[in-house]
């Protein structure tokens, strides 16, 4: 039997990169998925690629009304759900000296505040025995000058994982994180400002990482699948690192 047979999952930021790979894997394992993102065309393309058992909800995790609309859709279509992958996130490079209030508000608003309300507003609909997976980052444990705010927001996600695992243990809802290192997604181009600069950064990552290559979104999806499934039935408050050894060796 497939490991997510009959399960319903919500995956924020499911229209691209790690979220899309996770949605594809979850559907292949028998789940029905709701995927979100701010851009409608990317959502439509992702839904076509996933092919079946998918609903798209155009929504921004930093907008509380959008989150309400997302969960209203889930309630109307499925009545409740079993797995939440809080994956949506944004990155923008700024060393401390150049961190403007707008930069801080954007990265904190999506990666920290947006993740918190994504999970809080899911609680009434998430079934007891369910699983929450936060897609964090190894950025919280390595020092990178331009990552100041991003890394701090991802460190908050690691802390949330522990607090919420304790908070929700009484409902047998497990809360865990996956921390990817550099993964080959459009986020790298967005972060660097162009495809050319993104490719140069991919080449640099491939030189410096212990495994001498950048990661694939499917490799993060595999960790998310483990944590979402009953295979991880005694695992909560944990973090699985998927980084080719970047933060471990
Ligand atoms: N790629 C890496 O090297 C790497 C490493 C460590 C951690 N991560 C983390 O992995 C997660 C996924 O990143 P990715 O690399 O897969 O990036 P990606 O390919 O750029 O995908 C990001 C997804 O999030 C959505 N999104 C962004 N802001 C959103 C918002 N405010 N509300 C709802 N959806 C939003 C995007 O769609 P829209 O733009 O249309 O909203 C898209 O679907 C992020 O949390 C990221 O921080 C990535």
């Amino acid at each position: 039997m497939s490991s997510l047979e009959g399960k319903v999952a919500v995956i924020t930021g499911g229209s691209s990169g790690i979220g899309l790979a996770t949605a594809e894997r979850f559907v292949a394992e028998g789940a029905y998925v709701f995927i979100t993102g701010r851009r409608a065309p990317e959502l439509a393309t992702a839904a076509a690629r996933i092919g079946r058992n998918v609903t798209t909800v155009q929504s921004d995790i930093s907008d509380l009304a959008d989150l309400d609309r997302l969960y209203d859709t889930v309630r109307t279509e499925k009545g409740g759900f079993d797995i939440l992958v809080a994956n949506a996130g944004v990155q923008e490079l700024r060393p401390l000296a150049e961190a403007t209030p707008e930069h801080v508000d954007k990265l904190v608003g999506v990666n920290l505040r947006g993740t918190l309300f994504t999970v809080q507003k899911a609680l009434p609909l998430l079934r007891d025995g369910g699983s929450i997976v936060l897609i964090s980052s190894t950025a919280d444990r390595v020092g990178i000058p331009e990552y100041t705010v991003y890394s701090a927001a991802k460190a908050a996600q690691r802390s949330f994982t522990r607090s919420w695992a304790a908070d929700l243990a009484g409902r047998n809802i497990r809360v865990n994180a996956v921390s990817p290192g550099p993964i080959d997604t459009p986020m790298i181009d967005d972060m660097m400002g162009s495809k050319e600069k993104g490719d140069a950064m991919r080449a640099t990552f491939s030189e410096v990482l212990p495994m001498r290559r950048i990661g694939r979104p499917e490799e993060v999806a595999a960790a998310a699948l483990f944590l979402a499934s009953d295979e991880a039935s005694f695992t909560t408050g944990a973090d699985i690192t998927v980084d080719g050894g970047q933060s471990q060796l």
Side-chain angles (χ1 to χ4, degrees), residues 15-92:
S15 61
S16 176
I18 291 166
L20 175 55
T22 302
E24 287 184 292
R25 184 70 196 272
F26 280 18
V27 168
E29 295 288 335
Y32 190 97
V33 297
F34 289 79
I35 60 170
T36 81
R38 295 162 301 175
R39 294 166 299 167
E42 278 69 13
L43 278 169
T45 303
R49 185 166 143 175
I50 295 165
R52 64 193 166 99
N53 291 345
V54 58
T55 295
T56 63
V57 184
Q58 186 182 4
S59 54
D60 182 340
I61 63 163
S62 65
D63 182 323
L64 299 187
D66 271 14
L67 287 172
D68 288 336
R69 199 164 41 74
L70 162 64
Y71 292 123
D72 283 347
T73 305
V74 177
R75 182 185 292 108
T76 302
E77 287 196 16
K78 294 289 179 186
F81 71 110
D82 309 284
I83 299 159
L84 172 61
V85 182
N87 162 77
V90 286
Q91 163 65 308
E92 193 172 67

Side-chain angles (χ1 to χ4, degrees), residues 12-19 36-40 42 59-62 86-91 110-111 135-138 150 154 157 179-188 190:
T12 62
S15 61
S16 176
I18 291 166
T36 81
R38 295 162 301 175
R39 294 166 299 167
E42 278 69 13
S59 54
D60 182 340
I61 63 163
S62 65
N87 162 77
V90 286
Q91 163 65 308
V110 175
N111 298 328
I135 304 299
S136 183
S137 172
T138 53
Y150 179 79
K154 291 297 186 180
Q157 291 186 359
S179 288
I183 306 296
D184 190 359
T185 75
M187 177 175 269
I188 295 189
D190 293 345

